[in-house]
Amino acid sequence: MAEIGLFEAIYSARSLRRFKPDPVPDEVITKVLDAAIRAPSGSNEQSWEFVIIKDAAQRKKIGDVYRKGGGILMALYANRVKPAHMAEDTYRKLMASATYLIDHMADAPVLLIACLKQTAPTGAPPKLPPEIAAVMKSLARTSGSSIYPAVQNIILACRGLGLGTVLTTIHTFFEDEVKQILGLPPEVQTYALMPIGYPAGKFGPIKRRPVSEVAYLDKYGQHWKG
């Protein structure tokens, strides 16, 4: 297919959750992965690892775990208030799409799980000064910065190649079970589960709150007006 520009990809890479059964060629997935590893990572450690699941039995196992996570998510969302910026019809479509994926994750021809391999001991050594120990504790909160840029590259690469995908994380409710299914060692944690396939729906355009509502100049509350 014809290549599209970067900004066209950014503005049209919708979260897609329904896929055709058509197989995705390995060389296409390799191209997506090669885009993923062009992303930045903390200290350039490149400690990402990716598991590509094509086997139907393995996809079903992961799909079963995702369905369990989806049950928890739907319970949490039972009394959720619709975001103010979303129309009622748009919100209903979002929830219907999310519910569909909960039941059909295994139907995607490819599941991609993005992981990080722990490259340093967790926790702070007892003799570190308190201020350094506090900084060390914050690493758990920021560790995703070394994998989610790669995930975004996957999203854009998929869009550029005519593939649909979506970033999901509720499989992590059952991280140990997922790791057992995949044979992951203790030092490897999963951060995203992405179904990939040729979409049954359409790409873009993507609607978002305007920049003027979410960006500030110099300090919070002074809205950006550029």
Side-chain angles (χ1 to χ4, degrees), residues 132-176:
I132 302 300
V135 170
M136 294 288 288
K137 290 179 181 179
S138 75
L139 293 179
R141 184 168 62 90
T142 60
S143 61
S145 63
S146 287
I147 186 63
Y148 289 127
V151 168
Q152 179 65 11
N153 276 11
I154 290 170
I155 293 170
L156 294 178
C158 282
R159 173 63 189 96
L161 295 168
L163 296 167
T165 191
V166 60
L167 165 61
T168 75
T169 59
I170 60 176
H171 72 284
T172 59
F173 295 167
F174 301 97
E175 174 77 357
D176 289 344

Short mmCIF file of all heavy atoms in Angstrom, two decimals, residues 132-176:
data_model
loop_
_atom_site.label_atom_id
_atom_site.label_comp_id
_atom_site.label_asym_id
_atom_site.label_seq_id
_atom_site.Cartn_x
_atom_site.Cartn_y
_atom_site.Cartn_z
N ILE A 132 18.51 9.93 48.16
CA ILE A 132 18.78 9.05 47.01
C ILE A 132 17.83 7.87 47.03
O ILE A 132 17.33 7.43 45.99
CB ILE A 132 20.24 8.57 47.03
CG1 ILE A 132 21.20 9.76 47.02
CG2 ILE A 132 20.49 7.64 45.86
CD1 ILE A 132 21.05 10.64 45.79
N ALA A 133 17.54 7.35 48.23
CA ALA A 133 16.60 6.23 48.34
C ALA A 133 15.23 6.63 47.83
O ALA A 133 14.54 5.85 47.17
CB ALA A 133 16.51 5.77 49.79
N ALA A 134 14.82 7.88 48.10
CA ALA A 134 13.51 8.36 47.63
C ALA A 134 13.47 8.41 46.11
O ALA A 134 12.46 8.07 45.49
CB ALA A 134 13.23 9.74 48.21
N VAL A 135 14.59 8.83 45.52
CA VAL A 135 14.66 8.87 44.06
C VAL A 135 14.56 7.47 43.48
O VAL A 135 13.87 7.23 42.48
CB VAL A 135 15.97 9.55 43.60
CG1 VAL A 135 16.17 9.37 42.10
CG2 VAL A 135 15.96 11.03 43.96
N MET A 136 15.23 6.51 44.10
CA MET A 136 15.20 5.13 43.63
C MET A 136 13.77 4.58 43.63
O MET A 136 13.36 3.85 42.72
CB MET A 136 16.09 4.25 44.51
CG MET A 136 17.57 4.59 44.42
SD MET A 136 18.32 4.09 42.85
CE MET A 136 18.35 2.31 43.07
N LYS A 137 12.99 4.94 44.65
CA LYS A 137 11.62 4.45 44.74
C LYS A 137 10.75 4.97 43.59
O LYS A 137 9.77 4.33 43.23
CB LYS A 137 11.01 4.86 46.09
CG LYS A 137 11.59 4.12 47.28
CD LYS A 137 10.95 4.58 48.57
CE LYS A 137 11.56 3.85 49.77
NZ LYS A 137 10.97 4.31 51.05
N SER A 138 11.10 6.11 43.04
CA SER A 138 10.30 6.68 41.96
C SER A 138 10.51 5.94 40.64
O SER A 138 9.73 6.12 39.70
CB SER A 138 10.64 8.17 41.76
OG SER A 138 11.89 8.31 41.11
N LEU A 139 11.53 5.10 40.56
CA LEU A 139 11.83 4.43 39.30
C LEU A 139 10.70 3.51 38.85
O LEU A 139 10.47 3.35 37.65
CB LEU A 139 13.14 3.64 39.44
CG LEU A 139 14.41 4.49 39.62
CD1 LEU A 139 15.62 3.58 39.76
CD2 LEU A 139 14.59 5.46 38.46
N ALA A 140 10.00 2.91 39.80
CA ALA A 140 8.89 2.03 39.43
C ALA A 140 7.81 2.81 38.69
O ALA A 140 7.18 2.30 37.76
CB ALA A 140 8.32 1.38 40.68
N ARG A 141 7.62 4.06 39.09
CA ARG A 141 6.59 4.89 38.45
C ARG A 141 7.00 5.34 37.06
O ARG A 141 6.15 5.57 36.20
CB ARG A 141 6.30 6.12 39.34
CG ARG A 141 5.18 7.00 38.82
CD ARG A 141 4.75 8.00 39.88
NE ARG A 141 5.82 8.89 40.26
CZ ARG A 141 6.06 10.06 39.66
NH1 ARG A 141 5.33 10.44 38.63
NH2 ARG A 141 7.04 10.83 40.07
N THR A 142 8.27 5.44 36.81
CA THR A 142 8.74 5.96 35.52
C THR A 142 9.28 4.89 34.59
O THR A 142 9.69 5.20 33.47
CB THR A 142 9.84 7.02 35.76
OG1 THR A 142 10.95 6.42 36.44
CG2 THR A 142 9.31 8.19 36.57
N SER A 143 9.28 3.64 35.02
CA SER A 143 9.89 2.59 34.20
C SER A 143 9.20 2.44 32.85
O SER A 143 9.84 2.06 31.86
CB SER A 143 9.87 1.26 34.94
OG SER A 143 8.53 0.86 35.24
N GLY A 144 7.92 2.75 32.78
CA GLY A 144 7.21 2.64 31.51
C GLY A 144 7.74 3.56 30.43
O GLY A 144 7.48 3.33 29.23
N SER A 145 8.50 4.57 30.82
CA SER A 145 9.06 5.49 29.83
C SER A 145 10.05 4.80 28.91
O SER A 145 10.39 5.32 27.85
CB SER A 145 9.74 6.67 30.53
OG SER A 145 10.85 6.23 31.31
N SER A 146 10.51 3.61 29.29
CA SER A 146 11.45 2.88 28.45
C SER A 146 10.78 1.87 27.52
O SER A 146 11.45 1.21 26.74
CB SER A 146 12.47 2.14 29.33
OG SER A 146 13.39 3.05 29.89
N ILE A 147 9.43 1.74 27.60
CA ILE A 147 8.74 0.82 26.71
C ILE A 147 7.59 1.47 25.97
O ILE A 147 7.33 1.14 24.79
CB ILE A 147 8.24 -0.43 27.48
CG1 ILE A 147 7.66 -1.48 26.53
CG2 ILE A 147 7.25 -0.05 28.56
CD1 ILE A 147 8.64 -2.04 25.54
N TYR A 148 6.92 2.45 26.58
CA TYR A 148 5.74 3.02 25.91
C TYR A 148 6.07 3.86 24.68
O TYR A 148 5.26 3.91 23.74
CB TYR A 148 4.88 3.79 26.91
CG TYR A 148 4.17 2.85 27.86
CD1 TYR A 148 4.26 3.01 29.24
CD2 TYR A 148 3.41 1.79 27.38
CE1 TYR A 148 3.63 2.14 30.11
CE2 TYR A 148 2.76 0.91 28.24
CZ TYR A 148 2.87 1.09 29.61
OH TYR A 148 2.23 0.22 30.46
N PRO A 149 7.24 4.50 24.58
CA PRO A 149 7.59 5.11 23.29
C PRO A 149 7.67 4.06 22.17
O PRO A 149 7.25 4.32 21.04
CB PRO A 149 8.94 5.77 23.56
CG PRO A 149 8.91 6.11 25.01
CD PRO A 149 8.19 4.94 25.63
N ALA A 150 8.19 2.88 22.48
CA ALA A 150 8.24 1.80 21.49
C ALA A 150 6.84 1.35 21.13
O ALA A 150 6.54 1.04 19.96
CB ALA A 150 9.06 0.62 22.04
N VAL A 151 5.94 1.31 22.12
CA VAL A 151 4.55 0.95 21.86
C VAL A 151 3.89 1.95 20.93
O VAL A 151 3.16 1.58 20.00
CB VAL A 151 3.78 0.83 23.19
CG1 VAL A 151 2.27 0.73 22.95
CG2 VAL A 151 4.26 -0.39 23.99
N GLN A 152 4.17 3.23 21.14
CA GLN A 152 3.61 4.25 20.24
C GLN A 152 4.16 4.09 18.83
O GLN A 152 3.42 4.25 17.85
CB GLN A 152 3.90 5.66 20.78
CG GLN A 152 3.38 6.79 19.91
CD GLN A 152 1.86 6.83 19.82
OE1 GLN A 152 1.16 6.16 20.56
NE2 GLN A 152 1.33 7.62 18.90
N ASN A 153 5.43 3.75 18.72
CA ASN A 153 5.98 3.48 17.39
C ASN A 153 5.27 2.31 16.72
O ASN A 153 5.04 2.31 15.51
CB ASN A 153 7.48 3.19 17.48
CG ASN A 153 8.32 4.45 17.49
OD1 ASN A 153 7.80 5.56 17.63
ND2 ASN A 153 9.62 4.30 17.35
N ILE A 154 4.91 1.30 17.51
CA ILE A 154 4.16 0.16 16.97
C ILE A 154 2.81 0.62 16.44
O ILE A 154 2.38 0.23 15.35
CB ILE A 154 3.98 -0.92 18.06
CG1 ILE A 154 5.33 -1.59 18.36
CG2 ILE A 154 2.95 -1.96 17.63
CD1 ILE A 154 5.30 -2.49 19.57
N ILE A 155 2.14 1.47 17.21
CA ILE A 155 0.83 1.98 16.78
C ILE A 155 0.94 2.73 15.45
O ILE A 155 0.15 2.51 14.52
CB ILE A 155 0.24 2.90 17.87
CG1 ILE A 155 -0.12 2.08 19.12
CG2 ILE A 155 -0.99 3.65 17.35
CD1 ILE A 155 -0.48 2.92 20.33
N LEU A 156 1.96 3.59 15.34
CA LEU A 156 2.12 4.38 14.12
C LEU A 156 2.59 3.52 12.95
O LEU A 156 2.16 3.72 11.82
CB LEU A 156 3.09 5.53 14.37
CG LEU A 156 2.60 6.59 15.36
CD1 LEU A 156 3.67 7.66 15.57
CD2 LEU A 156 1.30 7.24 14.88
N ALA A 157 3.47 2.56 13.23
CA ALA A 157 3.92 1.67 12.16
C ALA A 157 2.76 0.83 11.64
O ALA A 157 2.63 0.62 10.43
CB ALA A 157 5.05 0.78 12.66
N CYS A 158 1.93 0.34 12.54
CA CYS A 158 0.75 -0.40 12.12
C CYS A 158 -0.14 0.46 11.23
O CYS A 158 -0.61 0.02 10.17
CB CYS A 158 -0.03 -0.89 13.33
SG CYS A 158 0.67 -2.34 14.15
N ARG A 159 -0.35 1.70 11.66
CA ARG A 159 -1.18 2.59 10.84
C ARG A 159 -0.57 2.78 9.47
O ARG A 159 -1.27 2.74 8.44
CB ARG A 159 -1.34 3.95 11.55
CG ARG A 159 -2.05 5.01 10.70
CD ARG A 159 -3.47 4.62 10.39
NE ARG A 159 -4.08 5.51 9.42
CZ ARG A 159 -4.16 5.30 8.11
NH1 ARG A 159 -3.61 4.22 7.59
NH2 ARG A 159 -4.78 6.16 7.32
N GLY A 160 0.73 2.98 9.41
CA GLY A 160 1.40 3.19 8.13
C GLY A 160 1.34 1.99 7.21
O GLY A 160 1.40 2.13 5.99
N LEU A 161 1.18 0.81 7.80
CA LEU A 161 1.15 -0.43 7.02
C LEU A 161 -0.27 -0.96 6.83
O LEU A 161 -0.46 -2.08 6.35
CB LEU A 161 2.01 -1.49 7.70
CG LEU A 161 3.51 -1.18 7.75
CD1 LEU A 161 4.23 -2.12 8.70
CD2 LEU A 161 4.12 -1.26 6.36
N GLY A 162 -1.25 -0.15 7.22
CA GLY A 162 -2.64 -0.55 7.03
C GLY A 162 -3.16 -1.53 8.05
O GLY A 162 -4.18 -2.20 7.83
N LEU A 163 -2.49 -1.64 9.19
CA LEU A 163 -2.90 -2.54 10.26
C LEU A 163 -3.57 -1.78 11.39
O LEU A 163 -3.22 -0.62 11.66
CB LEU A 163 -1.69 -3.29 10.82
CG LEU A 163 -0.96 -4.24 9.88
CD1 LEU A 163 0.38 -4.64 10.50
CD2 LEU A 163 -1.81 -5.47 9.58
N GLY A 164 -4.51 -2.42 12.04
CA GLY A 164 -5.13 -1.83 13.21
C GLY A 164 -4.54 -2.42 14.48
O GLY A 164 -4.04 -3.55 14.49
N THR A 165 -4.58 -1.65 15.55
CA THR A 165 -4.14 -2.14 16.87
C THR A 165 -4.68 -1.22 17.94
O THR A 165 -5.29 -0.18 17.65
CB THR A 165 -2.61 -2.24 16.95
OG1 THR A 165 -2.24 -2.95 18.14
CG2 THR A 165 -1.95 -0.85 16.97
N VAL A 166 -4.46 -1.60 19.19
CA VAL A 166 -4.85 -0.79 20.33
C VAL A 166 -3.95 -1.18 21.50
O VAL A 166 -3.56 -2.34 21.64
CB VAL A 166 -6.35 -1.00 20.69
CG1 VAL A 166 -6.64 -2.45 21.04
CG2 VAL A 166 -6.79 -0.08 21.83
N LEU A 167 -3.62 -0.22 22.33
CA LEU A 167 -2.84 -0.47 23.54
C LEU A 167 -3.78 -0.93 24.65
O LEU A 167 -4.74 -0.23 24.99
CB LEU A 167 -2.11 0.81 23.96
CG LEU A 167 -1.53 0.88 25.38
CD1 LEU A 167 -0.49 -0.19 25.59
CD2 LEU A 167 -0.97 2.26 25.65
N THR A 168 -3.55 -2.11 25.21
CA THR A 168 -4.32 -2.59 26.35
C THR A 168 -3.37 -3.03 27.46
O THR A 168 -2.22 -3.38 27.21
CB THR A 168 -5.24 -3.77 25.98
OG1 THR A 168 -4.47 -4.96 25.83
CG2 THR A 168 -6.00 -3.49 24.68
N THR A 169 -3.88 -3.04 28.70
CA THR A 169 -3.03 -3.37 29.85
C THR A 169 -3.71 -4.26 30.89
O THR A 169 -3.05 -4.67 31.85
CB THR A 169 -2.54 -2.09 30.56
OG1 THR A 169 -3.68 -1.33 30.99
CG2 THR A 169 -1.69 -1.23 29.63
N ILE A 170 -5.00 -4.56 30.74
CA ILE A 170 -5.70 -5.24 31.84
C ILE A 170 -5.24 -6.69 32.02
O ILE A 170 -5.55 -7.30 33.06
CB ILE A 170 -7.23 -5.18 31.68
CG1 ILE A 170 -7.68 -5.84 30.37
CG2 ILE A 170 -7.71 -3.74 31.76
CD1 ILE A 170 -9.19 -5.88 30.23
N HIS A 171 -4.48 -7.22 31.07
CA HIS A 171 -3.90 -8.55 31.30
C HIS A 171 -2.96 -8.55 32.50
O HIS A 171 -2.71 -9.60 33.11
CB HIS A 171 -3.13 -9.01 30.06
CG HIS A 171 -1.86 -8.27 29.85
ND1 HIS A 171 -1.81 -6.97 29.37
CD2 HIS A 171 -0.57 -8.61 30.11
CE1 HIS A 171 -0.55 -6.57 29.33
NE2 HIS A 171 0.21 -7.55 29.77
N THR A 172 -2.43 -7.37 32.84
CA THR A 172 -1.47 -7.28 33.95
C THR A 172 -2.14 -7.54 35.30
O THR A 172 -1.43 -7.70 36.30
CB THR A 172 -0.76 -5.92 33.98
OG1 THR A 172 -1.74 -4.87 34.11
CG2 THR A 172 0.02 -5.69 32.70
N PHE A 173 -3.49 -7.55 35.35
CA PHE A 173 -4.17 -7.96 36.59
C PHE A 173 -3.76 -9.38 36.96
O PHE A 173 -3.83 -9.76 38.13
CB PHE A 173 -5.69 -7.91 36.42
CG PHE A 173 -6.28 -6.54 36.18
CD1 PHE A 173 -7.59 -6.40 35.75
CD2 PHE A 173 -5.53 -5.39 36.37
CE1 PHE A 173 -8.14 -5.17 35.52
CE2 PHE A 173 -6.08 -4.13 36.15
CZ PHE A 173 -7.40 -4.02 35.73
N PHE A 174 -3.37 -10.16 35.95
CA PHE A 174 -2.98 -11.55 36.15
C PHE A 174 -1.58 -11.78 35.55
O PHE A 174 -1.36 -12.71 34.78
CB PHE A 174 -4.01 -12.48 35.51
CG PHE A 174 -5.40 -12.30 36.05
CD1 PHE A 174 -6.31 -11.50 35.40
CD2 PHE A 174 -5.76 -12.91 37.24
CE1 PHE A 174 -7.59 -11.32 35.90
CE2 PHE A 174 -7.04 -12.74 37.76
CZ PHE A 174 -7.96 -11.94 37.10
N GLU A 175 -0.67 -10.91 35.93
CA GLU A 175 0.68 -10.92 35.36
C GLU A 175 1.37 -12.28 35.51
O GLU A 175 1.99 -12.79 34.57
CB GLU A 175 1.52 -9.83 36.02
CG GLU A 175 2.99 -9.81 35.62
CD GLU A 175 3.25 -9.20 34.24
OE1 GLU A 175 2.27 -8.85 33.55
OE2 GLU A 175 4.42 -9.09 33.85
N ASP A 176 1.27 -12.87 36.69
CA ASP A 176 1.94 -14.16 36.91
C ASP A 176 1.42 -15.24 35.97
O ASP A 176 2.18 -16.07 35.46
CB ASP A 176 1.78 -14.61 38.37
CG ASP A 176 2.59 -13.75 39.33
OD1 ASP A 176 3.49 -13.02 38.87
OD2 ASP A 176 2.30 -13.79 40.54
#
